[in-house]
PDB file of all heavy atoms in Angstrom:
ATOM      1  N   GLY W 239       7.165  33.707 -21.375  1.00  0.00           N
ATOM      2  CA  GLY W 239       7.388  34.814 -20.403  1.00  0.00           C
ATOM      3  C   GLY W 239       6.687  34.715 -19.102  1.00  0.00           C
ATOM      4  O   GLY W 239       6.907  35.477 -18.102  1.00  0.00           O
ATOM      5  N   PHE W 240       5.780  33.776 -18.967  1.00  0.00           N
ATOM      6  CA  PHE W 240       5.014  33.552 -17.835  1.00  0.00           C
ATOM      7  C   PHE W 240       5.081  32.109 -17.273  1.00  0.00           C
ATOM      8  O   PHE W 240       4.761  31.137 -17.989  1.00  0.00           O
ATOM      9  CB  PHE W 240       3.463  33.968 -18.010  1.00  0.00           C
ATOM     10  CG  PHE W 240       2.620  33.687 -16.782  1.00  0.00           C
ATOM     11  CD1 PHE W 240       2.686  34.508 -15.748  1.00  0.00           C
ATOM     12  CD2 PHE W 240       1.804  32.661 -16.681  1.00  0.00           C
ATOM     13  CE1 PHE W 240       1.922  34.360 -14.594  1.00  0.00           C
ATOM     14  CE2 PHE W 240       0.932  32.448 -15.555  1.00  0.00           C
ATOM     15  CZ  PHE W 240       1.063  33.259 -14.518  1.00  0.00           C
ATOM     16  N   THR W 241       5.746  32.020 -16.041  1.00  0.00           N
ATOM     17  CA  THR W 241       5.892  30.668 -15.529  1.00  0.00           C
ATOM     18  C   THR W 241       4.935  30.410 -14.333  1.00  0.00           C
ATOM     19  O   THR W 241       4.791  31.370 -13.499  1.00  0.00           O
ATOM     20  CB  THR W 241       7.376  30.471 -14.979  1.00  0.00           C
ATOM     21  OG1 THR W 241       8.220  30.744 -16.137  1.00  0.00           O
ATOM     22  CG2 THR W 241       7.549  29.166 -14.482  1.00  0.00           C
ATOM     23  N   TYR W 242       4.328  29.287 -14.207  1.00  0.00           N
ATOM     24  CA  TYR W 242       3.398  28.816 -13.136  1.00  0.00           C
ATOM     25  C   TYR W 242       4.063  27.739 -12.406  1.00  0.00           C
ATOM     26  O   TYR W 242       4.388  26.767 -12.970  1.00  0.00           O
ATOM     27  CB  TYR W 242       2.072  28.549 -13.729  1.00  0.00           C
ATOM     28  CG  TYR W 242       1.043  28.125 -12.741  1.00  0.00           C
ATOM     29  CD1 TYR W 242       0.506  28.974 -11.753  1.00  0.00           C
ATOM     30  CD2 TYR W 242       0.765  26.789 -12.666  1.00  0.00           C
ATOM     31  CE1 TYR W 242      -0.407  28.550 -10.931  1.00  0.00           C
ATOM     32  CE2 TYR W 242      -0.184  26.300 -11.673  1.00  0.00           C
ATOM     33  CZ  TYR W 242      -0.726  27.180 -10.763  1.00  0.00           C
ATOM     34  OH  TYR W 242      -1.679  26.832  -9.858  1.00  0.00           O
ATOM     35  N   ALA W 243       4.065  27.949 -11.018  1.00  0.00           N
ATOM     36  CA  ALA W 243       4.555  26.822 -10.156  1.00  0.00           C
ATOM     37  C   ALA W 243       3.368  26.011  -9.864  1.00  0.00           C
ATOM     38  O   ALA W 243       2.492  26.367  -9.090  1.00  0.00           O
ATOM     39  CB  ALA W 243       5.105  27.550  -8.945  1.00  0.00           C
ATOM     40  N   TRP W 244       3.337  24.797 -10.355  1.00  0.00           N
ATOM     41  CA  TRP W 244       2.309  23.870 -10.215  1.00  0.00           C
ATOM     42  C   TRP W 244       2.726  22.844  -9.175  1.00  0.00           C
ATOM     43  O   TRP W 244       3.608  22.077  -9.291  1.00  0.00           O
ATOM     44  CB  TRP W 244       2.086  23.110 -11.588  1.00  0.00           C
ATOM     45  CG  TRP W 244       0.929  22.122 -11.498  1.00  0.00           C
ATOM     46  CD1 TRP W 244      -0.275  22.234 -10.944  1.00  0.00           C
ATOM     47  CD2 TRP W 244       0.920  20.818 -12.180  1.00  0.00           C
ATOM     48  NE1 TRP W 244      -0.965  21.146 -11.321  1.00  0.00           N
ATOM     49  CE2 TRP W 244      -0.336  20.292 -12.009  1.00  0.00           C
ATOM     50  CE3 TRP W 244       1.930  20.167 -13.036  1.00  0.00           C
ATOM     51  CZ2 TRP W 244      -0.637  18.966 -12.423  1.00  0.00           C
ATOM     52  CZ3 TRP W 244       1.452  18.964 -13.426  1.00  0.00           C
ATOM     53  CH2 TRP W 244       0.249  18.295 -13.198  1.00  0.00           C
ATOM     54  N   THR W 245       1.987  22.853  -7.914  1.00  0.00           N
ATOM     55  CA  THR W 245       2.297  21.981  -6.887  1.00  0.00           C
ATOM     56  C   THR W 245       1.349  20.703  -7.060  1.00  0.00           C
ATOM     57  O   THR W 245       0.170  20.849  -7.141  1.00  0.00           O
ATOM     58  CB  THR W 245       2.108  22.642  -5.526  1.00  0.00           C
ATOM     59  OG1 THR W 245       2.972  23.772  -5.502  1.00  0.00           O
ATOM     60  CG2 THR W 245       2.440  21.701  -4.415  1.00  0.00           C
ATOM     61  N   VAL W 246       1.908  19.538  -7.046  1.00  0.00           N
ATOM     62  CA  VAL W 246       1.180  18.333  -7.198  1.00  0.00           C
ATOM     63  C   VAL W 246       1.352  17.506  -6.060  1.00  0.00           C
ATOM     64  O   VAL W 246       2.536  17.273  -5.594  1.00  0.00           O
ATOM     65  CB  VAL W 246       1.722  17.465  -8.463  1.00  0.00           C
ATOM     66  CG1 VAL W 246       0.963  16.229  -8.581  1.00  0.00           C
ATOM     67  CG2 VAL W 246       1.658  18.317  -9.771  1.00  0.00           C
ATOM     68  N   THR W 247       0.249  17.033  -5.425  1.00  0.00           N
ATOM     69  CA  THR W 247       0.308  16.107  -4.241  1.00  0.00           C
ATOM     70  C   THR W 247      -0.387  14.854  -4.646  1.00  0.00           C
ATOM     71  O   THR W 247      -1.550  14.869  -5.121  1.00  0.00           O
ATOM     72  CB  THR W 247      -0.524  16.729  -3.082  1.00  0.00           C
ATOM     73  OG1 THR W 247       0.223  18.021  -2.686  1.00  0.00           O
ATOM     74  CG2 THR W 247      -0.431  15.866  -1.882  1.00  0.00           C
ATOM     75  N   THR W 248       0.255  13.662  -4.494  1.00  0.00           N
ATOM     76  CA  THR W 248      -0.274  12.421  -4.820  1.00  0.00           C
ATOM     77  C   THR W 248      -0.300  11.576  -3.538  1.00  0.00           C
ATOM     78  O   THR W 248       0.684  11.478  -2.907  1.00  0.00           O
ATOM     79  CB  THR W 248       0.557  11.754  -5.895  1.00  0.00           C
ATOM     80  OG1 THR W 248       0.636  12.613  -7.032  1.00  0.00           O
ATOM     81  CG2 THR W 248       0.125  10.407  -6.212  1.00  0.00           C
ATOM     82  N   SER W 249      -1.524  10.988  -3.397  1.00  0.00           N
ATOM     83  CA  SER W 249      -1.539  10.096  -2.107  1.00  0.00           C
ATOM     84  C   SER W 249      -2.058   8.761  -2.652  1.00  0.00           C
ATOM     85  O   SER W 249      -2.986   8.613  -3.383  1.00  0.00           O
ATOM     86  CB  SER W 249      -2.773  10.730  -1.190  1.00  0.00           C
ATOM     87  OG  SER W 249      -2.272  11.952  -0.744  1.00  0.00           O
ATOM     88  N   VAL W 250      -1.277   7.683  -2.155  1.00  0.00           N
ATOM     89  CA  VAL W 250      -1.592   6.368  -2.538  1.00  0.00           C
ATOM     90  C   VAL W 250      -1.811   5.555  -1.255  1.00  0.00           C
ATOM     91  O   VAL W 250      -1.056   5.690  -0.292  1.00  0.00           O
ATOM     92  CB  VAL W 250      -0.281   5.829  -3.395  1.00  0.00           C
ATOM     93  CG1 VAL W 250      -0.510   4.323  -3.747  1.00  0.00           C
ATOM     94  CG2 VAL W 250      -0.277   6.563  -4.580  1.00  0.00           C
ATOM     95  N   ASP W 251      -2.698   4.602  -1.385  1.00  0.00           N
ATOM     96  CA  ASP W 251      -2.995   3.653  -0.213  1.00  0.00           C
ATOM     97  C   ASP W 251      -2.912   2.315  -0.717  1.00  0.00           C
ATOM     98  O   ASP W 251      -3.467   1.831  -1.579  1.00  0.00           O
ATOM     99  CB  ASP W 251      -4.503   3.977   0.321  1.00  0.00           C
ATOM    100  CG  ASP W 251      -4.877   2.997   1.400  1.00  0.00           C
ATOM    101  OD1 ASP W 251      -4.086   2.271   1.883  1.00  0.00           O
ATOM    102  OD2 ASP W 251      -6.092   2.963   1.635  1.00  0.00           O
ATOM    103  N   GLY W 252      -1.874   1.621  -0.143  1.00  0.00           N
ATOM    104  CA  GLY W 252      -1.686   0.165  -0.577  1.00  0.00           C
ATOM    105  C   GLY W 252      -2.158  -0.754   0.504  1.00  0.00           C
ATOM    106  O   GLY W 252      -1.692  -0.616   1.696  1.00  0.00           O
ATOM    107  N   TYR W 253      -3.069  -1.612   0.264  1.00  0.00           N
ATOM    108  CA  TYR W 253      -3.602  -2.611   1.192  1.00  0.00           C
ATOM    109  C   TYR W 253      -3.075  -3.977   0.836  1.00  0.00           C
ATOM    110  O   TYR W 253      -3.202  -4.413  -0.323  1.00  0.00           O
ATOM    111  CB  TYR W 253      -5.159  -2.600   1.177  1.00  0.00           C
ATOM    112  CG  TYR W 253      -5.766  -3.535   2.216  1.00  0.00           C
ATOM    113  CD1 TYR W 253      -5.723  -3.151   3.480  1.00  0.00           C
ATOM    114  CD2 TYR W 253      -6.255  -4.725   1.823  1.00  0.00           C
ATOM    115  CE1 TYR W 253      -6.357  -4.026   4.502  1.00  0.00           C
ATOM    116  CE2 TYR W 253      -6.790  -5.606   2.691  1.00  0.00           C
ATOM    117  CZ  TYR W 253      -6.916  -5.150   3.993  1.00  0.00           C
ATOM    118  OH  TYR W 253      -7.446  -6.137   4.976  1.00  0.00           O
ATOM    119  N   THR W 254      -2.328  -4.575   1.783  1.00  0.00           N
ATOM    120  CA  THR W 254      -1.819  -5.899   1.505  1.00  0.00           C
ATOM    121  C   THR W 254      -2.149  -6.913   2.699  1.00  0.00           C
ATOM    122  O   THR W 254      -2.190  -6.541   3.817  1.00  0.00           O
ATOM    123  CB  THR W 254      -0.258  -5.846   1.509  1.00  0.00           C
ATOM    124  OG1 THR W 254       0.248  -5.143   2.742  1.00  0.00           O
ATOM    125  CG2 THR W 254       0.134  -5.009   0.149  1.00  0.00           C
ATOM    126  N   VAL W 255      -2.453  -8.098   2.219  1.00  0.00           N
ATOM    127  CA  VAL W 255      -2.822  -9.177   3.165  1.00  0.00           C
ATOM    128  C   VAL W 255      -1.996 -10.371   2.849  1.00  0.00           C
ATOM    129  O   VAL W 255      -1.854 -10.702   1.641  1.00  0.00           O
ATOM    130  CB  VAL W 255      -4.282  -9.490   3.046  1.00  0.00           C
ATOM    131  CG1 VAL W 255      -4.648 -10.611   3.996  1.00  0.00           C
ATOM    132  CG2 VAL W 255      -5.120  -8.352   3.347  1.00  0.00           C
ATOM    133  N   ARG W 256      -1.417 -10.862   3.756  1.00  0.00           N
ATOM    134  CA  ARG W 256      -0.606 -12.171   3.608  1.00  0.00           C
ATOM    135  C   ARG W 256      -1.585 -13.340   3.566  1.00  0.00           C
ATOM    136  O   ARG W 256      -2.537 -13.557   4.292  1.00  0.00           O
ATOM    137  CB  ARG W 256       0.368 -12.314   4.807  1.00  0.00           C
ATOM    138  CG  ARG W 256       1.291 -13.526   4.690  1.00  0.00           C
ATOM    139  CD  ARG W 256       2.305 -13.619   5.833  1.00  0.00           C
ATOM    140  NE  ARG W 256       1.552 -13.917   7.076  1.00  0.00           N
ATOM    141  CZ  ARG W 256       1.063 -15.020   7.521  1.00  0.00           C
ATOM    142  NH1 ARG W 256       1.389 -16.126   6.838  1.00  0.00           N
ATOM    143  NH2 ARG W 256       0.530 -15.164   8.664  1.00  0.00           N
ATOM    144  N   PRO W 257      -1.438 -14.176   2.563  1.00  0.00           N
ATOM    145  CA  PRO W 257      -2.207 -15.340   2.377  1.00  0.00           C
ATOM    146  C   PRO W 257      -2.109 -16.323   3.596  1.00  0.00           C
ATOM    147  O   PRO W 257      -1.124 -16.387   4.276  1.00  0.00           O
ATOM    148  CB  PRO W 257      -1.724 -16.099   1.198  1.00  0.00           C
ATOM    149  CG  PRO W 257      -0.804 -15.082   0.436  1.00  0.00           C
ATOM    150  CD  PRO W 257      -0.346 -14.150   1.503  1.00  0.00           C
ATOM    151  N   GLN W 258      -3.166 -16.925   4.007  1.00  0.00           N
ATOM    152  CA  GLN W 258      -3.112 -17.881   5.129  1.00  0.00           C
ATOM    153  C   GLN W 258      -2.434 -19.084   4.767  1.00  0.00           C
ATOM    154  O   GLN W 258      -2.564 -19.570   3.732  1.00  0.00           O
ATOM    155  CB  GLN W 258      -4.694 -18.176   5.446  1.00  0.00           C
ATOM    156  CG  GLN W 258      -4.754 -18.941   6.754  1.00  0.00           C
ATOM    157  CD  GLN W 258      -6.181 -19.128   7.165  1.00  0.00           C
ATOM    158  OE1 GLN W 258      -7.038 -19.207   6.387  1.00  0.00           O
ATOM    159  NE2 GLN W 258      -6.318 -19.336   8.484  1.00  0.00           N
ATOM    160  N   THR W 259      -1.607 -19.522   5.730  1.00  0.00           N
ATOM    161  CA  THR W 259      -0.806 -20.824   5.514  1.00  0.00           C
ATOM    162  C   THR W 259      -1.262 -21.879   6.468  1.00  0.00           C
ATOM    163  O   THR W 259      -2.036 -21.560   7.318  1.00  0.00           O
ATOM    164  CB  THR W 259       0.736 -20.473   5.767  1.00  0.00           C
ATOM    165  OG1 THR W 259       0.875 -20.082   7.110  1.00  0.00           O
ATOM    166  CG2 THR W 259       1.234 -19.446   4.813  1.00  0.00           C
ATOM    167  N   ALA W 260      -0.762 -23.029   6.267  1.00  0.00           N
ATOM    168  CA  ALA W 260      -1.151 -24.133   7.168  1.00  0.00           C
ATOM    169  C   ALA W 260      -0.684 -23.957   8.515  1.00  0.00           C
ATOM    170  O   ALA W 260      -1.450 -24.298   9.576  1.00  0.00           O
ATOM    171  CB  ALA W 260      -0.449 -25.468   6.585  1.00  0.00           C
ATOM    172  N   SER W 261       0.543 -23.303   8.833  1.00  0.00           N
ATOM    173  CA  SER W 261       0.940 -23.007  10.148  1.00  0.00           C
ATOM    174  C   SER W 261       0.003 -22.094  10.860  1.00  0.00           C
ATOM    175  O   SER W 261       0.023 -21.913  12.120  1.00  0.00           O
ATOM    176  CB  SER W 261       2.356 -22.633  10.226  1.00  0.00           C
ATOM    177  OG  SER W 261       2.413 -21.318   9.496  1.00  0.00           O
ATOM    178  N   ASP W 262      -0.691 -21.128  10.169  1.00  0.00           N
ATOM    179  CA  ASP W 262      -1.665 -20.212  10.804  1.00  0.00           C
ATOM    180  C   ASP W 262      -2.781 -21.078  11.308  1.00  0.00           C
ATOM    181  O   ASP W 262      -3.344 -20.699  12.466  1.00  0.00           O
ATOM    182  CB  ASP W 262      -2.207 -19.168   9.792  1.00  0.00           C
ATOM    183  CG  ASP W 262      -1.091 -18.241   9.278  1.00  0.00           C
ATOM    184  OD1 ASP W 262      -0.102 -18.127  10.027  1.00  0.00           O
ATOM    185  OD2 ASP W 262      -1.218 -17.795   8.183  1.00  0.00           O
ATOM    186  N   VAL W 263      -3.258 -22.101  10.695  1.00  0.00           N
ATOM    187  CA  VAL W 263      -4.446 -22.889  11.005  1.00  0.00           C
ATOM    188  C   VAL W 263      -3.980 -23.956  12.064  1.00  0.00           C
ATOM    189  O   VAL W 263      -4.644 -24.052  13.214  1.00  0.00           O
ATOM    190  CB  VAL W 263      -5.111 -23.606   9.802  1.00  0.00           C
ATOM    191  CG1 VAL W 263      -6.118 -24.376  10.295  1.00  0.00           C
ATOM    192  CG2 VAL W 263      -5.457 -22.484   8.773  1.00  0.00           C
ATOM    193  N   ILE W 264      -2.898 -24.680  11.879  1.00  0.00           N
ATOM    194  CA  ILE W 264      -2.493 -25.807  12.790  1.00  0.00           C
ATOM    195  C   ILE W 264      -1.799 -25.255  13.916  1.00  0.00           C
ATOM    196  O   ILE W 264      -1.844 -25.734  15.048  1.00  0.00           O
ATOM    197  CB  ILE W 264      -1.594 -26.801  11.965  1.00  0.00           C
ATOM    198  CG1 ILE W 264      -2.583 -27.355  10.788  1.00  0.00           C
ATOM    199  CG2 ILE W 264      -1.153 -27.914  12.831  1.00  0.00           C
ATOM    200  CD1 ILE W 264      -1.745 -28.208   9.834  1.00  0.00           C
ATOM    201  N   GLY W 265      -0.958 -24.245  13.761  1.00  0.00           N
ATOM    202  CA  GLY W 265      -0.152 -23.693  14.756  1.00  0.00           C
ATOM    203  C   GLY W 265       1.176 -24.194  14.604  1.00  0.00           C
ATOM    204  O   GLY W 265       1.566 -25.072  13.831  1.00  0.00           O
ATOM    205  N   PRO W 266       2.239 -23.573  15.293  1.00  0.00           N
ATOM    206  CA  PRO W 266       3.589 -23.906  15.137  1.00  0.00           C
ATOM    207  C   PRO W 266       3.938 -25.323  15.701  1.00  0.00           C
ATOM    208  O   PRO W 266       3.219 -25.705  16.664  1.00  0.00           O
ATOM    209  CB  PRO W 266       4.442 -22.794  15.797  1.00  0.00           C
ATOM    210  CG  PRO W 266       3.450 -22.166  16.812  1.00  0.00           C
ATOM    211  CD  PRO W 266       2.063 -22.438  16.160  1.00  0.00           C
ATOM    212  N   ARG W 267       4.962 -25.981  15.258  1.00  0.00           N
ATOM    213  CA  ARG W 267       5.207 -27.301  15.655  1.00  0.00           C
ATOM    214  C   ARG W 267       6.184 -27.270  16.728  1.00  0.00           C
ATOM    215  O   ARG W 267       7.053 -26.595  16.998  1.00  0.00           O
ATOM    216  CB  ARG W 267       5.680 -28.203  14.638  1.00  0.00           C
ATOM    217  CG  ARG W 267       4.557 -28.531  13.768  1.00  0.00           C
ATOM    218  CD  ARG W 267       5.010 -29.578  12.697  1.00  0.00           C
ATOM    219  NE  ARG W 267       3.871 -30.425  12.435  1.00  0.00           N
ATOM    220  CZ  ARG W 267       3.921 -31.645  12.080  1.00  0.00           C
ATOM    221  NH1 ARG W 267       5.157 -32.151  11.778  1.00  0.00           N
ATOM    222  NH2 ARG W 267       2.836 -32.265  11.807  1.00  0.00           N
TER     223      ARG W 267
END
């Protein structure tokens, strides 16, 4: 007979880095 409104807040932080490739070091052709 008793209902409780439970508010949930979820925060996620995703950190992504692209691996270095040969074209990053040498440069485009």
Side-chain angles (χ1 to χ4, degrees):
F240 179 73
T241 303
Y242 175 73
W244 182 41
T245 301
V246 179
T247 301
T248 301
S249 297
V250 174
D251 174 12
Y253 182 75
T254 53
V255 178
R256 184 179 62 85
Q258 189 174 24
T259 62
S261 64
D262 294 335
V263 177
I264 300 170
R267 291 189 145 203

